[in-house]
Amino acid sequence: MVGFLGTIKFFILKKYQNWNMFIYYFALGKIKGTCFYFVGFVVILVFKFTLIGFLLQLYGLFSLFKSFFPLLFESLCSIPIIGPYFS
């Protein structure tokens, strides 16, 4: 059920389950990344500047998930085959 009905079901019918997601994306430290991501989305859709919008969205995603990168790097270092390349 992907598409419009899936979106409505996800955001409206399960609104109490999605509260943690709302708190994560609109937390005080992550509001900058969320704003940059949505501004990039608007720049792509409304103004048709795809490169600028993509760069804004990329910066927004980096700002949102920058606390996750050390964990990702540590996990990559522990993989036997590719771990020595990251160490």
Side-chain angles (χ1 to χ4, degrees):
M1 211 155 137
V2 179
F4 180 72
L5 291 178
T7 305
I8 295 298
K9 190 177 194 182
F10 182 75
F11 284 110
I12 293 178
L13 297 180
K14 297 182 179 183
K15 64 181 175 181
Y16 296 111
Q17 293 176 356
N18 295 326
W19 186 250
N20 289 334
M21 181 180 69
F22 178 80
I23 290 172
Y24 178 79
Y25 288 117
F26 290 101
L28 191 58
K30 303 203 182 284
I31 194 74
K32 182 172 107 176
T34 304
C35 288
F36 268 97
Y37 184 78
F38 284 119
V39 166
F41 188 72
V42 168
V43 165
I44 290 173
L45 289 181
V46 175
F47 300 112
K48 307 291 186 201
F49 294 132
T50 54
L51 181 64
I52 295 170
F54 174 72
L55 291 174
L56 287 171
Q57 283 186 329
L58 195 63
Y59 178 73
L61 284 175
F62 179 74
S63 295
L64 276 173
F65 299 111
K66 66 183 172 188
S67 63
F68 178 68
F69 290 134
L71 178 66
L72 179 67
F73 183 72
E74 183 179 325
S75 298
L76 286 175
C77 289
S78 67
I79 297 174
I81 296 173
I82 63 172
Y85 296 112
F86 286 104
S87 296

